[in-house]
């Protein structure tokens, strides 16, 4: 299909908002990989005398490698989510292409072209932002004695080129995951799937979820058995373990979502008899949609709480008077800021996309008598339930990860929990989810209900 590039560009021009979340995720990936690539290059290209300068902590090259691999893993998670929603916004068009003889290979090629164009659009600004951040991050390292004073970020464009290449690889891998369903099913089924949701979670997905749970458990066991002098390795193993467990949450999410909504929805039905019942019914009936919204919340809460609690536990284990301990704490705070940024972008992208694609559903409810105010109350209840489910799952992952880290650091599975900071994490998750849902809902209920219900308006 020689028209694939023009079709791909046409979708980008017609639905720019659908690709905004993907563009932001790819921009962050280019910027962060350029940042850490520049730090790596700074030490790799420095004169021998500069490289031999004694520094506190692991040094810029090790820091860049550790931060970079975590950033790429989290970015893959976020990009899969973002491109999945970009595809869902054009699901009907892709299904129609399948019905008029477009092959799965052609559909995958169309999606790849869209991703490549989006990635190339953000490559230059992302590289510039990453290089700017590298200068400031290196200065911060030097101020804390973790980098040689004479170390400089090199002027070579190689880190930016490598960052763009990594972004393209991550994006193409994410697109292969996201487009898999619509490109493999029969054309007629693809068209039907635009208005229905599969009722059961497939066996391969459940098997992958069980494997992820097992892998996360092994990583946490590795973290718990590290000696106290290898606290950094214990922290990295615990963090990787939390990431793998969050992947397991995403894979097994529909099952957990239905159970938690049934549990948490009971008090909401009492407090809001009509709206609460409708919100709970919507979330239980569309468990995949709920999973899409709750997983970024779990990611935000799980990663942020894990890093925050590990930092406090390490402070109590080593004491804050040690210069090395202070640098370790600062590094964990920097890593927390990086991971929180990715998770926050994923949360905002998801809640806006999930709510925005329900315009026809809202229009049908309005046609049978629901008012805009009632719909917004229903969305508020749904957002509160979604936040609660995501927070609970994220907190469970953080509890397991930090218990393993605390065992290595102190010999006890009970970590030091900064209650106020964790409260702010939960408040931040709610502040991202509820206003984002209501803002997208206000936009989604605009316009004549009859036209929206009939699909004559996008």
């Amino acid at each position: 299909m020689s028209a694939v590039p023009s079709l791909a560009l046409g979708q980008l021009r017609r639905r720019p908002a659908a690709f905004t979340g993907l563009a932001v995720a790819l921009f962050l990936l280019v910027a962060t990989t350029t940042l850490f690539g520049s730090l790596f290059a700074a030490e790799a290209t420095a004169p021998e005398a500069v490289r031999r300068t004694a520094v506190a902590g692991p040094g810029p090259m090790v820091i860049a490698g550790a931060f970079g691999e975590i950033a790429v893993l989290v970015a893959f998670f976020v990009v899969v989510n973002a491109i999945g929603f970009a595809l869902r916004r054009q699901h009907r068009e892709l299904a129609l292409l399948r019905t008029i003889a477009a092959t799965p290979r052609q559909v995958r090629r169309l999606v790849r072209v869209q991703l490549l164009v989006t990635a190339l659009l953000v490559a230059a600004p992302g590289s510039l932002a990453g290089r700017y951040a590298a200068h400031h991050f290196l200065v911060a390292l030097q101020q804390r004695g973790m980098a040689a004073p004479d170390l400089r970020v090199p002027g070579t464009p190689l880190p930016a080129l490598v960052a763009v290449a990594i972004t393209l690889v991550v994006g193409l891998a994410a697109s292969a995951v996201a487009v898999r369903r619509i490109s493999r099913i029969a054309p007629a089924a693809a068209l039907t799937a635009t208005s229905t949701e599969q009722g059961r979670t497939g066996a391969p997905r459940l098997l992958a979820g069980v494997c992820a749970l097992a892998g996360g458990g092994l990583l946490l066991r590795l973290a718990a058995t590290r000696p106290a002098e290898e606290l950094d390795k214990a922290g990295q193993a615990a963090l990787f373990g939390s990431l793998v467990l969050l992947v397991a949450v995403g894979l097994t999410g529909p099952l957990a979502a239905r159970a938690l909504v049934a549990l948490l929805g009971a008090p909401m039905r009492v407090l809001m008899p009509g709206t609460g019942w409708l919100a709970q019914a919507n979330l239980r009936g569309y468990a995949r949609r709920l999973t899409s919204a709750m997983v970024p919340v779990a990611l935000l809460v799980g990663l942020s709480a894990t890093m925050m609690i590990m930092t406090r536990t390490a402070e109590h284990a080593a004491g804050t008077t040690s210069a090395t301990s202070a640098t370790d704490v600062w590094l964990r705070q920097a890593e927390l800021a990086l991971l929180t940024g990715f998770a926050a972008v994923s949360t905002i992208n998801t809640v806006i996309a999930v709510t925005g694609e329900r315009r026809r559903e809202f229009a049908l409810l309005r046609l049978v008598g629901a008012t805009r105010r009632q719909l917004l109350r229903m969305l508020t209840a749904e957002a509160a339930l979604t936040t609660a489910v995501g927070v609970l799952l994220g907190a469970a992952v953080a509890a397991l990860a930090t218990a393993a880290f605390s065992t290595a650091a102190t010999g006890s599975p009970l970590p030091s929990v900064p209650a106020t900071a964790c409260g702010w994490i939960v408040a931040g998750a709610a502040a991202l989810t509820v206003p984002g849902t209501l803002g997208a809902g206000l936009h989604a209920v605009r316009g004549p209900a009859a036209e929206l219900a009939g699909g004559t308006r996008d």
Side-chain angles (χ1 to χ4, degrees), residues 261 269 275-287 289 382 385:
V261 168
R269 290 199 309 270
T275 306
W277 177 87
L278 184 58
Q280 185 191 28
N282 273 336
L283 292 179
R284 291 188 68 184
Y286 290 88
R289 185 169 68 197
E382 287 185 15
L385 272 175

Side-chain angles (χ1 to χ4, degrees), residues 82-162:
I83 197 169
F85 282 113
L87 290 179
R88 284 168 67 166
R89 293 291 296 274
Q90 52 181 333
H91 203 158
R92 185 172 180 81
E93 288 85 349
L94 295 176
L96 287 171
L97 286 175
R98 293 294 314 282
T99 63
I100 59 173
T103 66
R105 182 178 179 182
Q106 289 169 335
V107 171
R108 290 194 293 269
R109 184 183 172 200
L110 184 146
V111 173
R112 286 198 298 268
V113 171
Q114 290 176 342
L115 183 133
L116 289 171
V117 171
T118 306
L120 292 176
L121 286 174
V122 302
S127 299
L128 291 174
R131 183 172 175 79
Y132 178 80
H135 283 285
H136 287 271
F137 195 75
L138 180 58
V139 169
L141 291 176
Q142 290 169 333
Q143 290 173 345
R144 290 162 177 80
M146 288 185 282
D150 296 328
L151 208 60
R152 297 290 182 268
V153 174
T156 173
L158 185 59
L161 295 175
V162 172

Side-chain angles (χ1 to χ4, degrees), residues 57-286:
M61 190 176 289
V62 176
I63 292 171
F67 277 41
E69 62 186 16
I70 291 289
V72 170
L73 286 174
V74 176
F76 177 80
F77 195 88
V78 174
V79 172
V80 167
N81 220 30
I83 197 169
F85 282 113
L87 290 179
R88 284 168 67 166
R89 293 291 296 274
Q90 52 181 333
H91 203 158
R92 185 172 180 81
E93 288 85 349
L94 295 176
L96 287 171
L97 286 175
R98 293 294 314 282
T99 63
I100 59 173
T103 66
R105 182 178 179 182
Q106 289 169 335
V107 171
R108 290 194 293 269
R109 184 183 172 200
L110 184 146
V111 173
R112 286 198 298 268
V113 171
Q114 290 176 342
L115 183 133
L116 289 171
V117 171
T118 306
L120 292 176
L121 286 174
V122 302
S127 299
L128 291 174
R131 183 172 175 79
Y132 178 80
H135 283 285
H136 287 271
F137 195 75
L138 180 58
V139 169
L141 291 176
Q142 290 169 333
Q143 290 173 345
R144 290 162 177 80
M146 288 185 282
D150 296 328
L151 208 60
R152 297 290 182 268
V153 174
T156 173
L158 185 59
L161 295 175
V162 172
V164 172
I166 291 173
T167 300
L168 292 176
V169 171
V170 170
L172 290 174
S175 69
V177 173
V179 80
R180 181 176 179 273
R181 183 187 174 204
I182 193 172
S183 66
R184 290 179 63 123
I185 60 178
L191 190 58
T192 303
T194 63
S195 57
T196 61
E197 178 174 302
Q198 288 183 342
R200 292 188 296 177
T201 302
R205 179 169 175 165
L206 284 178
L207 180 60
V210 171
C211 291
L213 283 172
L218 290 174
L219 284 168
L220 294 188
R221 177 179 173 81
L222 176 64
T225 55
R226 291 297 88 194
E229 59 269 18
E230 295 182 3
L231 206 57
D232 285 340
K233 293 182 179 179
Q236 289 298 319
L239 186 58
F240 273 119
S242 67
L243 281 171
V244 175
L245 289 179
L246 286 167
V247 171
V249 168
L251 292 169
T252 61
L255 298 178
R258 289 190 180 97
L260 288 174
V261 168
L263 177 66
L264 299 175
M268 184 164 288
R269 290 199 309 270
V270 175
L271 296 174
M272 306 170 67
T275 306
W277 177 87
L278 184 58
Q280 185 191 28
N282 273 336
L283 292 179
R284 291 188 68 184
Y286 290 88

Side-chain angles (χ1 to χ4, degrees), residues 313-389:
T313 302
E315 286 179 329
H316 285 181
T320 56
T321 58
S322 164
T324 302
S325 176
T327 60
D328 289 342
V329 168
W330 182 84
L331 282 175
R332 289 193 181 95
Q333 290 173 341
E335 196 168 12
L336 171 62
L338 170 68
L339 298 178
T340 301
F342 273 109
V345 167
S346 181
T347 302
I348 295 171
N349 286 347
T350 301
V351 297
I352 292 176
V354 166
T355 307
E357 68 183 13
R358 299 172 63 186
R359 299 186 72 181
R360 187 170 184 272
E361 174 190 333
F362 297 153
L364 290 171
L365 289 172
R366 287 167 57 195
L367 289 176
V368 297
T371 64
R372 286 184 173 89
R373 183 177 179 180
Q374 289 171 329
L375 291 177
L376 291 177
R377 287 183 61 193
M378 179 193 74
L379 281 174
T380 302
E382 287 185 15
L385 272 175
T386 300
T387 303
V389 171

